[in-house]
């Protein structure tokens, strides 16, 4: 009896231990993420992936905030208040180093977005188009190409010499067009500026061909690319390349010949009667492309990235931000041609102590203002400028376009051709208009640099001419140390 | 059984008979030297005879010995054996000293125990008694200096912060270097868990007074049975069990006070105004005024901010345990409560815990048993101490606020309201010209905020053991370790971190569960002089984790302070899910011939779910030779002096997988949001070939005993080559990869020497003194990283001062060299990468430059390498000093004089440097307060020679090291610390009998009583980066340490 019990117990232990092990547990599947092999398996994964390319663009370090901030603070209209390197005091002073937060961060985030686009485009061609069908798939690819183009274009504005300097013969960017999902692909030399622009235009042309005319809702028309988005961006790209005839060609596709100017095809873009509307109702037909924000974690710009965080003072001073940059009293707000009755003056808040702040973006923390990427007003002014620069005359349509933008906010002024004695006067007026209209929207740097103009002095920072060190950024230190074919600026 | 008894009886009678008439009877009581409690079961032997007995439950013995016997030897597990002279007298009361060293009779090895004599691997042990009454939160923080090869650094004075715990050096770069901790056979959680500002160390769930012993396995032979988790060493914690005999009840309790030491002395209000105004005068751009005003009582404001932050903490601790049993069933039950106040206000630790274990021999071949331990801990804090990893530059950091805030402002306005300006402390009317001081008001934060973690920890196991034959044991154990953590933090909307969002609160719940199922078969057999034991086993361990939480912002009503109240914004936080599984087969063989020649071999095959290449085989083997057992030795004259002598050596390969995430093989896409819509993006680069870090350990040692083991020593040399280090190898950012892929690439080594000596220096009836000293030398060197990865820089929050590079030890201090302060101009002199002197001035007048090669500032400095015009860390910093102690150890002494006992523990760490980053802040020329040493060491007038700190210029954060780390703030960390001193008195047995007690001892004890060091900061035993492998040796805005005095009582019924 005793022996039986003993051996039964031994047997139970041995059998229990041998059957209880569960080899399946050695290969657990992730429960909250999708393994790469299945990333293009379903329609919803594919559409979610496409949105992730937009999400890359929207990162707080890129179009969600900082890219736009850098565009303004390089110019003369803002004064740094906090001397904080993390919030771009070096960008403002035009002397960031290779390892500066801005230089390293923007490079990284833009290329992450590019790689997301590359992964998506290749995955669609390989698998995805079969899942969603070629028609939908090609539309998706067109959207990804537009974002890739915009990302390369954005990088060029800081990290490469302007196209105007030697027609794009200077070093541009490593042109990465294939997906990278693993190690070992660090080395790649820079293509020339011209080659990168050529790729940007190829992508935008492809996008124009592949994109839908409209996306069905105001929200989707603003936050997702459609055909007019590609065209609008091309006007910006060609203008930057000083290829004015092509600016006109492209702009004419989406700008009617006479006022009131609207887009004759696709989404009916038009100026809003009141500029203030554009920054409260984020999805009007004026906002061709904007970055949407919500107050859900991960869907807003993040710490020290929001535009309102930079441009507005603390709540005790009437703002919602951290007062990083005040308006320069000697910058654009000092310009007497910007009349006090101009509706855009309402964006400028003057505090009791005399400091001036831009209140265009005023959603409080977590800073959920949509960030404009391109507005219809810019297309109008791009066209106006191209017309004048290509004809070197006081072009009547150019004046009408300028007037459309200006008169909307400054009802007391109506521009006619009689107001401009020469083409250069008209150009000056258009450039001034851009400076007022897009204050705080990130276009200032591009408007100076594409023309090789000197960046004006501000505060304690001296002016910087196009041939001086610091006119463009250095290359990210991380790129230089890890990409053996990379060269610095 | 009866036969055996009869046989014994006959033998005894025979002995008695032959010896009758030539004998005397001796008697006495054997007690524990540390607390005077009786020890039952002590073996008492007359050397070279078979005469002996054991003490009874009250520790008493009676023994008849031959008249010519002049000595008896007393032996008991866990105590140092004693031989006493009995040539005169009849009553010999003996106090045995707990064996705090390495000589306990039985050591815990993986899946079993071994007699100390049979162990050829490297295992060090500490008796639980030595640490049970120390005023700490977790046991391992007391291990410093007690064992060779074990390095403990207590990082700061925040309660329950896990110590830096290293065995034979730091053995990984990116993975954990914490040893594997096995509690009663079940591996447990280590290092910091929980997300609140009050750190949570899961090992604090083990009540130190429940610990029977701690055994630390160091070499491959001793650790290989734990295979892939053994690279950092293995710590076996054995909790107390019951013993056969009458029921014993013990109460231990203490009360203690803790106060901060080493707080830097700062300028008072008048000194501050004078000194800071000087700085403003030296900077024409500065328009700042410092103004003294009066407080509400009409006295000039002179705030000592350290008084706002620090306090004298009061703590008390109580434990009761009941144990007992009979031959068949033994049990132990204990319960404890501790309530400890830290040196920072509102930083408290409360633990309520219980432990119950029982085992019962149901049949002569069948034993069952189990244990259940439950602990509830509350780790409380108001907010960030600024002392945990990643917090060093927090504007809320209390350790920092205690020194940098100006003495001329007050925590309160004169109307009694908080002195605040939005989120920051207000400058009131005292500092004119600065809009926002940006740092928080610590008084308001201490009053209004909280950041707490509550931990419910359950550890248990149940086993069944069958011994069908005497040579075979089959054992199945099922163990669990469940950790339930709840974080609760609140930031008030009034000021501080919650201000901008209108208040915020975070709550999260984190559930981590482990089960372990172990089945072993143990063989043990002796064939003549061949002793063989072997073990085979199978084990499964599964860990699951789920956590979730919510972060809520903008209170609906300012009076609320609970997470469950009304809030406007709600976001998920702390979302984690994970699982892993370890399936293992293992075995070992131990062989010895006549206890002279020893050999062991261990092997384990592990399969781990988290890796790409899941299978790995690990092994270790050792040999030993007990020379003193050889006839030639025993017979030689040297044998009279050298009573034991053993050579031993081991080699093996073990692995490290601690900290590897659960799905490393997979490249995965993760979810995000774009304007409220779901996204899916490529997020983590997997590696299907990822495998263990491997550690090849060599160990050679010699143990010897002199004068009948009155002096014993263990010496060892070890070499640990670590290969396949898992590193995230950075790729060019233009690749756009979302994460740097993990690869098995780097290599490094730790090698060193260990020595431990034990002396029974004095051993008389009245007075005993035993002394143990140990010493470890460890050399760490990284030999390679990865292609494209020349150096790893480790950030201390915002500042980088540690750089890890091949050819240097981990986390080498990397700073910019300087050449003093120019006596004529008071400018800081930097040395650039070429050794050129560069004179720095914060304010450069027209025609002058900030960085100049001439003292007058007129020649602009141009960096010859980069073309830049400034000194910077990236171009000019040098690999300056090692941050890991090369030498460490301790010296402990136990004295007993009559009923008094005294214990002294000294610890030391030598041969390393500490970057005293706080010192840069203490000499920053912004509005921050300055250390008083600036009055003697600062430059004020032309001709001031040999000054340490530059001419004060308002806003200068460069000259003294705030903007970039400088060599002037690196100091030798070498220290010798009086870690612990305890003085006790045990009531004599006569008195005890009257009180009907078996033991009563009172003691006073002090911790961190004195420190001998050249380090100018509060304490060179410090780490701002916690246990970070590559971030040691940094003291940046860290809370100081505490000095504790306790008064305690032990009562035994």
């Amino acid at each position: 009896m005793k022996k039986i019990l003993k051996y039964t117990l031994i047997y139970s232990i041995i059998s229990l231990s041998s059957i209880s092990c569960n080899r399946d547990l050695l290969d657990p599947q992730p429960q909250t993420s999708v393994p790469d092999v299945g990333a293009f398996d379903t329609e919803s994964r594919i559409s979610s992936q496409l949105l992730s390319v937009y999400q890359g663009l929207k990162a707080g370090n890129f179009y969600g905030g900082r890219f736009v901030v850098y565009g303004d603070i390089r110019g003369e209209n803002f004064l740094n208040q906090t001397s904080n390197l993390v919030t771009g005091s070096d960008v403002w002073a035009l002397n960031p180093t290779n390892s500066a937060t801005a230089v390293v961060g923007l490079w990284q985030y833009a290329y992450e977005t590019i790689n997301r686009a590359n992964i998506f485009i290749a995955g669609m061609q390989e698998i995805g188009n079969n899942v969603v069908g070629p028609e939908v798939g090609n539309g998706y690819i067109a959207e990804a190409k537009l974002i890739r183009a915009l990302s390369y274009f954005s990088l060029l504005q800081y990290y490469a010499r302007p196209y105007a300097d030697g027609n794009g013969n200077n070093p541009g960017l490593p042109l990465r067009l294939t997906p990278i999902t693993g190690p070992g692909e660090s080395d790649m030399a820079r293509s020339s500026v011209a080659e990168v622009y050529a790729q940007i235009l190829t992508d935008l042309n492809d996008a124009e061909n592949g994109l839908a005319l409209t996306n069905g809702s105001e929200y989707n028309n603003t936050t997702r690319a459609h055909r007019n988005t590609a065209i609008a961006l091309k006007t910006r790209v060609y203008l930057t390349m000083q290829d004015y005839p092509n600016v006109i060609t492209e702009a004419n596709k989406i700008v009617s010949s006479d006022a009131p100017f609207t887009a004759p095809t696709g989404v009916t873009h038009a100026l809003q009667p009141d500029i203030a509307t554009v920054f409260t109702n984020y999805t009007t037909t004026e906002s061709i492309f904007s970055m949407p924000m919500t107050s859900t974690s991960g869907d807003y710009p993040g710490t020290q990235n929001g535009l309102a965080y930079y441009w507005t003072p603390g709540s005790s001073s009437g703002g919602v931000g951290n007062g990083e940059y005040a308006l320069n009293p000697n910058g654009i707000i000092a310009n007497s041609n910007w009349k006090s009755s101009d509706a855009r003056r309402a964006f400028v808040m003057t505090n009791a102590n005399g400091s001036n702040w831009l209140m265009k973006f005023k959603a409080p923390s977590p800073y959920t203002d949509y960030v404009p990427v391109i507005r219809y007003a810019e297309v109008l002014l791009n066209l106006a400028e191209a017309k004048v620069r290509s004809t070197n005359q006081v072009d009547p349509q150019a004046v009408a376009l300028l007037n459309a933008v200006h008169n909307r906010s400054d009802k007391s002024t109506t521009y006619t051709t009689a107001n401009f004695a020469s083409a250069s006067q008209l150009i000056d007026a258009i450039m001034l208009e851009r400076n007022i209209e897009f204050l705080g929207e990130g276009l200032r740097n591009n408007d100076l640099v594409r023309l090789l103009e000197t960046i004006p002095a501000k505060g304690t920072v001296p002016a910087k001419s196009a041939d001086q060190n610091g006119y463009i950024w250095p290359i990210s230190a991380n790129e230089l140390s890890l990409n053996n074919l990379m060269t610095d600026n | 059984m009866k036969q055996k008894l009869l046989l014994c009886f006959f033998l005894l009678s025979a002995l008695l008979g032959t010896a009758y008439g030539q004998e005397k009877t001796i008697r006495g009581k054997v007690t524990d030297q540390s607390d005077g409690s009786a020890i039952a079961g002590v073996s008492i032997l007359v050397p070279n005879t078979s005469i002996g007995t054991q003490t009874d439950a009250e520790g008493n013995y009676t023994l008849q010995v031959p008249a010519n016997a002049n000595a008896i030897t007393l032996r008991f597990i866990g105590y140092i054996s004693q031989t006493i002279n009995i040539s005169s007298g009849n009553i010999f009361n003996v106090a045995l000293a707990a064996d705090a060293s390495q000589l306990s009779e039985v050591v815990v090895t993986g899946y079993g125990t071994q007699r100390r004599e049979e162990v050829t691997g490297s295992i060090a042990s500490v008796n639980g008694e030595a640490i049970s009454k120390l005023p700490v939160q977790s046991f391992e923080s007391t291990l410093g200096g007690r064992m060779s090869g074990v390095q403990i650094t207590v990082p700061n004075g925040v309660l329950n912060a896990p110590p830096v715990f290293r065995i034979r050096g730091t053995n990984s770069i990116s993975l954990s270097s914490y040893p594997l901790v096995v509690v009663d056979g079940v591996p447990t959680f280590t290092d910091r868990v929980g997300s609140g500002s009050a750190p949570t160390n899961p090992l604090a769930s083990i009540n130190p007074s429940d610990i029977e012993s701690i055994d630390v396995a160091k070499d491959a032979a001793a650790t290989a049975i734990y295979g892939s988790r053994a690279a950092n060493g293995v710590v076996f914690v054995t909790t107390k069990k019951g013993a056969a005999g009458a029921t014993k009840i013990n109460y231990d309790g203490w009360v203690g006070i803790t106060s901060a030491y080493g707080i830097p002395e700062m300028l008072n209000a008048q000194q501050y105004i004078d000194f800071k105004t000087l700085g403003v005068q030296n900077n024409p751009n500065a328009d700042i005024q410092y103004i003294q005003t009066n407080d509400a009582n009409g006295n000039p404001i002179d705030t000592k901010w350290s008084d706002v932050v620090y306090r004298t903490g009061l703590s008390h601790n109580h434990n009761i345990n009941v144990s007992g049993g009979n031959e068949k069933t033994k049990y132990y039950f204990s319960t404890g409560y501790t309530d400890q106040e830290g040196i920072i206000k509102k930083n408290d630790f409360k633990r309520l815990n219980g432990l119950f274990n029982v085992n019962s021999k149901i049949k002569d071949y069948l034993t069952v048993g189990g244990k259940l331990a439950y602990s509830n801990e509350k780790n409380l804090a108001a907010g960030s101490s600024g002392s945990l990893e990643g917090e060093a530059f927090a504007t809320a950091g209390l350790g920092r606020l205690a020194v940098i805030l100006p003495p001329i402002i007050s925590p309160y306005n004169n109307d009694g309201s908080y002195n605040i300006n939005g989120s920051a402390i207000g400058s009131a009317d005292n500092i004119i010209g600065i809009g926002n001081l940006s740092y928080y008001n610590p008084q308001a934060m201490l009053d209004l905020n909280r950041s707490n973690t509550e931990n419910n920890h359950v550890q248990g196991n149940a086993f069944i053991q069958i011994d069908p034959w005497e040579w075979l044991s089959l054992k199945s154990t099922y163990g669990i370790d469940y950790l339930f953590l709840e974080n609760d933090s609140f930031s008030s909307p009034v000021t501080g971190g919650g201000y901008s969002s209108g208040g915020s609160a975070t709550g999260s719940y984190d559930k981590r569960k482990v089960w372990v199922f172990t089945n072993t078969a143990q063989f043990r057999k002796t064939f003549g002089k061949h002793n063989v034991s072997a073990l085979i086993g199978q084990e499964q361990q599964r860990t699951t984790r789920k956590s979730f939480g919510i972060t809520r912002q903008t209170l609906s009503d300012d009076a609320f302070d609970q997470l469950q109240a009304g809030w406007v914004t709600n976001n998920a936080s702390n979302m984690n899910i994970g699982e892993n599984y370890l399936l293992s087969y293992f075995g070992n063989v131990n062989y010895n011939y006549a206890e002279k020649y020893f050999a062991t071999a261990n092997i384990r095959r592990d399969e781990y779910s988290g890796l790409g290449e899941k299978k790995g085989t690990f092994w270790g083997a050792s040999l030993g030779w007990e020379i003193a057992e050889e006839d030639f030795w025993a017979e030689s004259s040297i044998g009279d002096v050298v009573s034991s002598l053993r050579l031993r050596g081991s080699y093996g390969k073990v692995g490290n997988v601690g900290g590897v995430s659960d799905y490393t093989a997979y490249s995965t896409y993760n979810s995000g949001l774009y304007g409220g819509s779901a996204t899916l993006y490529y997020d983590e680069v997997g590696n299907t070939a990822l495998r263990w870090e491997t550690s090849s350990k060599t160990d050679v040692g010699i143990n010897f005993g002199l004068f009948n083991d009155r002096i014993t020593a263990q010496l060892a040399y070890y070499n640990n080559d670590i290969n396949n280090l898992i590193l995230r190898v950075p790729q060019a950012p233009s690749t756009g990869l979302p994460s740097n892929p993990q690869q098995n690439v780097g290599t490094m080594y730790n090698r060193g020497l260990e020595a431990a000596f034990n002396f029974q220096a004095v051993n008389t009836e009245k007075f005993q003194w035993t002394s143990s000293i140990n010493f470890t030398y460890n050399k760490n060197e990284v030999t390679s990283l990865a292609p494209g990865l020349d150096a790893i820089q480790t950030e201390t929050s915002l500042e980088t001062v540690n750089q890890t590079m091949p050819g240097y030890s981990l986390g080498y201090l990397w700073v910019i060299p300087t050449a003093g302060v120019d006596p004529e101009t008071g400018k800081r002199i930097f040395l650039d990468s070429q050794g050129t002197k560069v004179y720095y001035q914060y304010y450069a007048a027209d025609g002058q430059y900030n960085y100049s090669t001439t003292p007058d500032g007129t020649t602009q400095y141009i960096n010859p390498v980069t073309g830049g015009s400034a000194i910077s860390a990236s171009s000019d910093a040098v690999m300056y000093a090692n941050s890991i102690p090369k030498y460490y150890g301790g010296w402990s002494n136990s004295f007993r004089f009559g009923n008094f006992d005294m214990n002294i523990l000294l610890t030391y760490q030598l041969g390393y440097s500490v970057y005293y980053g706080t010192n840069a802040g203490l000499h920053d020329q912004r509005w921050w307060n300055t250390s008083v040493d600036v009055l003697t060491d600062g430059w004020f007038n032309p001709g001031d020679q040999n000054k340490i700190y530059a001419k004060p210029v308002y806003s200068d954060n460069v000259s003294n090291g705030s903007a970039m780390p400088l060599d002037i703030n690196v100091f030798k960390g070498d220290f010798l610390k009086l870690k612990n001193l305890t003085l006790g008195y045990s009531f004599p047995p006569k008195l005890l009998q009257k009180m009907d007690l078996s033991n009563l001892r009172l003691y006073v004890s002090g911790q961190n009583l004195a420190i001998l060091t050249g380090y100018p900061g509060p304490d060179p035993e410090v780490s701002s980066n916690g246990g970070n492998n590559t971030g040691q040796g940094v003291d940046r805005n860290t809370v100081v340490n505490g000095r504790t005095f306790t008064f305690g009582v032990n009562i035994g019924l």
Side-chain angles (χ1 to χ4, degrees), chain A residues 218-219 221-223 272 276-294 360-364 367-372 374-375:
Chain A
E218 288 178 348
Y219 175 80
N221 285 342
T222 305
T223 62
Q272 298 303 299
T277 314
V278 179
F279 299 95
T280 51
N281 176 2
Y282 304 119
T283 57
T284 68
T285 50
E286 179 161 348
S287 297
I288 301 176
F289 191 27
S290 296
M291 297 289 106
M293 302 286 170
T294 72
K360 225 175 206 177
F361 306 96
K362 43 192 178 301
Y367 308 112
T368 52
D369 287 299
Y370 282 25
V371 178
I374 189 162
R375 287 200 281 129

Side-chain angles (χ1 to χ4, degrees), chain A residues 203-222:
Chain A
D203 276 344
L204 288 176
N205 287 327
D206 287 355
E208 182 187 351
N209 291 329
L211 284 167
L213 273 171
T214 79
N215 290 333
S217 70
E218 288 178 348
Y219 175 80
N220 283 337
N221 285 342
T222 305

Side-chain angles (χ1 to χ4, degrees), chain B residues 33-74:
Chain B
Q33 193 191 79
S34 65
D35 61 8
S37 63
I39 310 176
V42 177
S43 300
I44 295 156
L45 297 161
V46 179
N48 305 319
T49 73
S50 54
I51 301 167
T53 185
Q54 285 196 336
T55 55
D56 63 15
E58 278 75 50
N60 296 316
Y61 70 92
T62 309
L63 181 64
Q64 286 184 310
V65 298
N68 61 350
N70 53 15
I72 54 171
T73 298
L74 297 92

Side-chain angles (χ1 to χ4, degrees), chain B residues 804-962:
Chain B
T804 298
M805 275 179 95
Y808 296 92
S809 59
L810 284 168
Y812 218 75
L813 297 179
W814 181 62
V815 295
I816 294 165
T818 62
V821 171
D822 181 52
E824 292 311 310
T825 61
K827 291 179 186 176
R828 168 68 59 211
I829 307 170
F830 292 109
L831 295 174
D832 79 351
S833 57
Q834 313 294 307
T836 307
K837 283 186 174 181
V838 180
Y839 297 82
Y840 176 79
Q841 56 183 348
Y842 182 80
Y843 171 76
D846 277 351
Q848 295 190 12
Y849 300 91
N850 297 122
Y851 293 90
S852 169
T853 48
T854 51
D856 64 6
T858 56
T859 319
Q860 189 177 19
Y861 167 72
I862 300 294
N863 185 312
V865 181
T866 65
S869 57
I871 293 289
S872 69
S874 57
S875 59
D876 303 301
V878 297
M879 294 296 270
Y880 188 75
N882 69 300
S883 61
I884 301 179
K886 283 183 186 158
Y887 311 93
Y888 55 87
W891 183 24
S892 70
N893 287 287
S894 299
F895 302 92
R896 184 167 187 89
F897 185 78
N899 293 320
F900 289 92
D901 60 83
M902 183 162 83
N903 274 282
I904 301 172
L905 176 66
L906 295 148
T907 65
Y908 63 89
Q909 297 188 359
L910 306 169
Y912 74 111
S913 294
V914 177
Y915 172 66
Y916 183 25
T918 314
N919 198 49
L922 297 182
H923 298 91
D924 190 288
Q925 296 303 332
R926 286 173 274 189
W927 52 263
W928 302 0
N929 200 3
T930 305
S931 165
V932 288
D933 64 358
V934 78
L935 301 177
T936 47
D937 296 336
W939 187 96
F940 291 99
N941 299 300
D944 280 357
Q945 299 283 339
N946 299 322
K947 293 300 182 185
I948 300 170
Y949 303 109
K951 172 183 176 179
V953 176
Y954 176 76
S955 216
D956 181 2
N957 61 348
V958 176
S959 295
N960 297 329
S962 267

Side-chain angles (χ1 to χ4, degrees), chain B residues 689-717:
Chain B
L690 197 73
R691 55 200 170 102
W692 332 87
E693 293 185 352
T694 54
S695 186
S696 306
K697 293 178 190 280
T698 310
D699 179 80
V700 227
I702 179 168
N703 298 352
F704 60 85
L706 305 176
F707 312 114
N708 214 7
D709 285 359
R710 218 170 136 173
I711 298 173
T712 60
Q714 298 85 37
L715 308 174
Y717 162 83

Side-chain angles (χ1 to χ4, degrees), chain A residues 417-449:
Chain A
T417 49
N419 292 100
F420 304 100
S422 66
S424 72
Q425 272 192 12
L426 178 51
I427 287 288
D428 288 347
I430 293 170
M431 298 313 288
L432 174 67
E433 195 64 30
R434 292 178 72 96
N435 206 354
I436 296 168
E437 178 71 14
F438 304 117
L439 184 62
E441 296 178 53
L443 296 189
R444 185 61 189 152
N445 175 65
N446 189 12
D447 280 346
L448 292 165
V449 172

